Amino acid sequence: MNTSTLIVNVGSTSIKTRLFDEGLKAIALLNADYGCAAGLNVDGMDKQGQAFRQYHADDHDVRAALGIVLCTWQQWLARDSLKVSAIGHRIVHGGDYFSAITPIDQHVLKQIGQLDSYAPLHNPLNRLGVLMAGQAFPALPQFAVFDTAFHRQIPDYAGRYAIPEHLSERTNFYRYGFHGISCQHSLTTAAELLACTPESLNLIILHLGGGASATAVRAGVSVDTSMGFSPTEGLIMASRCGDLDPMIAITLQREGMTLDQLDKLLNQQSGLRGVCGESDMRRILQKAEQGDVKAHLAIEMFCYRIKKYIGAYCAVLGNVSALIFTGGIGENAPLIRQKIVQDLGHLGFAIDSNTNQLTCQHHLDISAENSRSRVLVIHAEEERECARQMNYFSEVKTHL
């Protein structure tokens, strides 16, 4: 009997789960949006291709959502006689502990728990996903795939902050980076599209969504990334400020703002929302088209910050094999891609305006004929990448 891999990705407002067969084909999926105060929406598609939709008016916290999702998977797997070999979890922060996919035991779970202060909005929820999946499927092994692992080889001159070491007994301040699972998927996919090995590629990967980051990849290895100790640093995001003069936060604190208020300001009330009052790029683009000055400014700021990082990473990498757009905005906002690449011909990037307007069903090469570097749009598939790493881990273990 063929076996499948179940991937659980618990986010701060939603849960994504996918069931992959041995060939990494998604054969069923189930999502839950628990971030809306109006209730819990659960939707997906089972192995027969039948759509699944449920609405729960009173259950809209992560524990309730996980309970419903995992219970539905129990029913589906039993009904369709599907054999699952293991469960994989996206874990946002692995700190200094983890640099690769890791089987989960009590010791590993304790180490992940020690990193809660590094990623307070994500790691506790990731751990809850592990615990509840273990209760629902006690016989199945579980694996952790870390968002930070892809960036663990960043050199110290790029990873260190210019502050004294050992400022905290509990926390090591370093550029850990995030979106690593997405970056690994982009690297693997780019190598397939360009018919070469990952080790031969120099890439600039732009993961643009509610969270946004830029990553420089040299010879298939991450050498710098815009997100740092936390996902707040770097590019302008939906509600996160990105790069900021630290004296702004210090000045606001001196003026009476509490630490909790600062945290909320920088992570939930800044970024695009702080500039124009909206955090959804689709809405911002609509308002800008209608003449909204603040929406137009937010778009210009968003794209300008990304241009600065592209220029910096071109200086770091020299030759760039490809510039990659991925994530919700990167894949679905042609105008944003156009504004970012516009006037970057001297760096070797040019896009074909007609191809750029196409809907990204899977992957697109939007490069113009005169572009020295390829410009690719790659569909983000973090859950598939988790499953791929689990398959690879299993194969390596089998051959040892």
Side-chain angles (χ1 to χ4, degrees), residues 1-7 18-22 25 27 47 77 82-87 140 390-391:
M1 180 186 294
N2 291 332
T3 59
S4 307
T5 302
L6 179 63
I7 303 299
R18 301 286 187 276
L19 188 69
F20 292 94
D21 65 16
E22 292 174 319
K25 178 183 177 182
I27 55 179
K47 187 176 183 293
L77 297 177
L82 291 170
K83 180 180 174 66
V84 177
S85 60
I87 301 175
L140 293 181
M390 290 175 66
N391 283 3

Side-chain angles (χ1 to χ4, degrees), residues 43-94:
D43 63 85
M45 186 172 294
D46 66 15
K47 187 176 183 293
Q48 281 73 41
Q50 296 295 316
F52 178 91
R53 288 186 178 85
Q54 284 187 355
Y55 174 72
H56 300 264
D58 300 323
D59 297 320
H60 51 79
D61 68 348
V62 62
R63 188 177 292 274
L66 272 167
I68 292 168
V69 167
L70 292 170
C71 181
T72 304
W73 277 115
Q74 287 177 317
Q75 295 169 2
W76 284 1
L77 297 177
R79 183 194 67 191
D80 298 329
S81 300
L82 291 170
K83 180 180 174 66
V84 177
S85 60
I87 301 175
H89 298 265
R90 173 184 174 238
I91 308 293
V92 166
H93 216 307

